[in-house]
Amino acid sequence: MAEQHEERIPTVIADELHIVYRVHGAKTGKGSATAALSRILKRGEERGVRKVHAVKGVSFVAYRGEAIGLIGSNGSGKSTLLRAIAGLLPAESGRVYTNGQPSLLGVNAALMNDLTGERNVILGGLAMGMSREQIKERYQGIVDFSGINEKGDFITLPMRTYSSGMAARLRFSIAAAKDHDVLMIDEALATGDRKFQIRSEERIRELRKQAGTVFLVSHSNKSIRDTCDRVLWLERGELRLDGPTEEVLKEYEKFTGK
């Protein structure tokens, strides 16, 4: 029985996952109406719909306590994969299984631009399932972690007055204030200065120790090296390599020439 408790506990399983976007609306361009009608009729029931196969047969198992980097060229399917794990995109085929509640933090995660940073901290905390008492206890820590008040009282100003970097740091700080079963971070660490990145990386290590699983999408190989013990490399929607960080990054750097 003791050996069973030492076994790794899966948190996310992707089983031959395919994600297909359907873009509605025919492409505009030159040509006669007759030729356009002919093309539409040939497409049959899919007329006016363009398919984008963003994730192609991806399979992996993630475990508690892992920090997993997602790397690949632009458009390789990294962000799409995170959105599918979070339950925001349906699978065309295959399945995603999660143990616990996945939380997706992206640079473009929506906070309310017309509300102050202070109000967004409260609303963001409530949206993540924290009680008002928990938010009150952690509020100052969230503000201090974000560093947005280092050059003025920005937390009392509307979010629309923030730079993109300040807004992203506040989003990360709100998300990092809660322990997560599965936390997915899409490029948030690329928006801060080195001091903020160090704080963020340390917080990710803490989340892992608390039996969480962290996925990090980043174009910074240094952030991946400093934060992750495993890497998934996607290219054109396919999982090209899955393994220890240094092994995968060496192959990736050969591929990109960087």
Side-chain angles (χ1 to χ4, degrees):
M1 291 294 290
E3 288 183 3
Q4 286 184 335
H5 289 295
E6 292 173 7
E7 289 180 3
R8 295 192 298 170
I9 299 173
T11 53
V12 178
I13 299 172
D15 181 19
E16 282 294 316
L17 181 65
H18 290 262
I19 303 293
V20 175
Y21 289 107
R22 284 171 173 77
V23 183
H24 293 265
K27 200 173 175 182
T28 57
K30 294 181 180 178
S32 71
T34 303
L37 179 60
S38 175
R39 288 196 301 271
I40 289 168
L41 291 174
K42 283 177 183 176
R43 282 199 295 261
E45 63 180 30
E46 290 292 320
R47 62 185 179 273
V49 177
R50 185 166 60 93
K51 289 185 178 181
V52 179
H53 201 160
V55 172
K56 303 173 183 175
V58 169
S59 296
F60 66 87
V61 180
Y63 298 90
R64 277 190 187 172
E66 283 191 315
I68 301 172
L70 268 68
I71 61 173
S73 309
N74 287 334
S76 60
K78 304 182 297 295
S79 297
T80 298
L81 179 59
L82 290 192
R83 288 172 61 79
I85 293 170
L88 301 175
L89 288 175
E92 181 78 5
S93 64
R95 295 289 298 272
V96 175
Y97 306 89
T98 59
N99 181 10
Q101 178 61 46
S103 304
L104 175 60
L105 170 68
V107 170
N108 296 320
L111 292 180
M112 306 293 286
N113 271 336
D114 290 332
L115 298 183
T116 64
E118 183 177 23
R119 291 294 300 161
N120 273 295
V121 170
I122 295 167
L123 292 174
L126 290 172
M128 288 195 306
M130 287 195 284
S131 68
R132 288 187 178 273
E133 190 59 37
Q134 287 174 321
I135 297 166
K136 187 177 178 181
E137 288 171 2
R138 302 175 194 186
Y139 173 81
Q140 195 56 50
I142 292 170
V143 176
D144 292 345
F145 189 99
S146 72
I148 64 170
N149 265 10
E150 289 175 358
K151 296 182 181 179
D153 193 20
F154 280 96
I155 198 68
T156 62
L157 297 178
M159 284 278 293
R160 65 172 178 271
T161 65
Y162 293 9
S163 68
S164 59
M166 288 168 62
R169 293 201 305 273
L170 184 60
R171 291 185 189 104
F172 180 86
S173 302
I174 294 168
K178 181 179 183 289
D179 295 338
H180 297 268
D181 299 316
V182 179
L183 177 61
M184 295 168 287
I185 305 165
D186 194 350
E187 285 291 4
L189 303 190
T191 58
D193 57 21
R194 186 59 193 150
K195 187 165 65 172
F196 178 75
Q197 288 174 17
I198 291 169
R199 288 201 299 271
S200 302
E201 289 159 7
E202 179 56 38
R203 178 58 183 141
I204 289 172
R205 284 189 281 272
E206 288 174 10
L207 287 166
R208 290 171 58 192
K209 287 176 188 172
Q210 291 153 7
T213 303
V214 179
F215 289 87
L216 173 64
V217 169
S218 179
H219 288 290
S220 167
N221 289 357
K222 187 178 189 318
S223 287
I224 296 286
R225 279 190 167 96
D226 290 346
T227 310
C228 303
D229 49 1
R230 176 183 171 190
V231 171
L232 306 179
W233 174 13
L234 295 175
E235 284 298 334
R236 297 185 178 182
E238 297 178 348
L239 183 57
R240 184 158 180 159
L241 205 55
D242 172 6
T245 297
E246 200 54 42
E247 288 181 19
V248 178
L249 281 179
K250 279 182 180 176
E251 291 302 313
Y252 181 64
E253 285 163 355
K254 285 181 194 173
F255 176 77
T256 60
K258 294 180 182 178

